[in-house]
Amino acid sequence: MNIITYDIEEWYVEKVFHGNHKEKYAEYDEYLDKILAKLDETHTKGTFFCVGGMAREFPNVIKRIASNGHEIGCHSDSHTWLNKMSREELEEDTRKAVDSLRQCSGQDVISYRAPAFSVGKSNPWAFEILYKNGIRRDSSVFPAERDFGGFPDYGTAEPSIVSYNGCKMKEFPICLTNIVGKDVAYSGGGYFRIFPYFFIKNTMNRADYAISYFHINDLLKEKMALATKSEYEEYFKEESTMTNRLKRYIKSNIGRKGALEKMNKLVDTMKFVNIAYADAVIDWEKVGSVEL
């Protein structure tokens, strides 16, 4: 089973963090049109994890996605890492985001992905808060080491039932492959840009479960600029150094050339479904359970 997902925050992040440049909105609109056209051409339905602020600031984007028959999921309200929030802050953030996305899209919003997969060993209580706000399907677990943490102790890279303090959630973790004894992601973000197409396709074909995740910024040909010290600290909520800014710049820009075409080729070649469909066909009585 291959699942396709998109994380939608670029318009909101541009307005709040990067100067509100109107030409960037037009570029994002153009790339969204290309994505929606390709999915429509191949009769593919995806899950679009959207920032709640998008529903208030850029409602037409959410409505365009929903009107094309795609699932609207939640990607937090303000694109703040969950491990940078207190319980009270996450409670308010989730309530506000789910309500805004529901009203804008006309859909029940029960699927969630944390920005930067920022649920891990330090904040498993996030699952309890998500559950209390109506979330029943999650795709926030990155079950390997990565920037901003990851969750290497989760124990599985397959669909599973995760539970915390009596709250049970259907989890769709990011899939992994083993390279020279090390588990690595391959099917989205910078990993998708770095690995060659044939490697991604062949790895997915060998797997029983794969989940792809894309940002529009992953697909743009134009390189992202090096963040200033203040921009980095405001966005990442941590102290900035030239080293971590350069590291983020390199990771954000490597492999951009041809990324959109690579994604289109993958969608043309592979059969994808969204998380809602996957939920309906998985026999949840037979999957593993993870108690946190």
Side-chain angles (χ1 to χ4, degrees), residues 3 49 71 110-113 127 130-131 134-141 154 158-164 167-173 209 211 275-285 287-290:
I3 301 172
F49 292 104
E71 179 189 9
I110 65 171
S111 296
Y112 189 93
R113 174 174 291 150
F127 288 112
L130 297 177
Y131 186 89
I135 301 300
R136 296 295 181 267
R137 302 186 287 247
D138 181 70
S139 184
S140 300
V141 170
Y154 186 75
E158 300 280 343
S160 48
I161 300 292
V162 58
S163 59
Y164 179 86
C167 298
K168 295 183 182 295
M169 192 92 67
K170 296 170 180 175
E171 180 62 39
F172 294 85
Y209 163 78
I211 183 166
I275 284 181
Y277 181 91
D279 178 13
V281 300
I282 289 173
D283 185 348
W284 291 99
E285 297 293 327
V287 305
S289 296
V290 178

Side-chain angles (χ1 to χ4, degrees), residues 99-269:
D99 183 61
S100 295
L101 291 167
R102 182 189 298 118
Q103 290 191 46
C104 184
S105 69
Q107 297 183 17
D108 287 335
V109 178
I110 65 171
S111 296
Y112 189 93
R113 174 174 291 150
F117 305 101
S118 50
V119 174
K121 195 173 182 178
S122 68
N123 61 342
W125 44 263
F127 288 112
E128 181 180 14
I129 292 173
L130 297 177
Y131 186 89
K132 289 180 178 179
N133 282 275
I135 301 300
R136 296 295 181 267
R137 302 186 287 247
D138 181 70
S139 184
S140 300
V141 170
F142 193 102
E145 298 284 355
R146 71 183 306 272
D147 284 353
F148 310 109
F151 205 156
D153 296 331
Y154 186 75
T156 180
E158 300 280 343
S160 48
I161 300 292
V162 58
S163 59
Y164 179 86
N165 200 21
C167 298
K168 295 183 182 295
M169 192 92 67
K170 296 170 180 175
E171 180 62 39
F172 294 85
I174 297 308
C175 56
L176 305 173
T177 191
N178 191 275
I179 299 178
V180 196
K182 182 177 177 62
D183 287 333
V184 297
Y186 66 93
S187 59
Y191 304 93
F192 179 82
R193 288 186 275 110
I194 292 170
F195 288 124
Y197 169 77
F198 72 86
F199 173 82
I200 296 170
K201 185 192 76 168
N202 291 343
T203 304
M204 292 179 73
N205 276 332
R206 291 194 303 268
D208 294 327
Y209 163 78
I211 183 166
S212 291
Y213 58 98
F214 300 101
H215 296 80
I216 288 178
N217 269 332
D218 289 326
L219 307 173
L220 301 181
K221 289 182 171 63
E222 177 187 352
K223 288 187 176 181
M224 297 181 68
L226 178 67
T228 65
K229 185 176 188 295
S230 60
E231 286 174 339
Y232 184 96
E233 291 181 348
E234 183 180 7
Y235 186 66
F236 291 104
K237 303 294 189 295
E238 65 182 19
E239 184 179 357
S240 170
T241 66
M242 179 56 74
T243 299
N244 58 27
R245 285 161 55 204
L246 283 171
K247 183 179 178 181
R248 179 53 47 188
Y249 172 79
I250 292 169
K251 287 190 173 184
S252 296
N253 287 310
I254 192 169
R256 282 180 172 274
K257 186 177 181 180
L260 177 64
E261 290 75 15
K262 188 194 292 187
M263 184 205 74
N264 285 340
K265 188 175 181 181
L266 195 67
V267 174
D268 281 333
T269 305

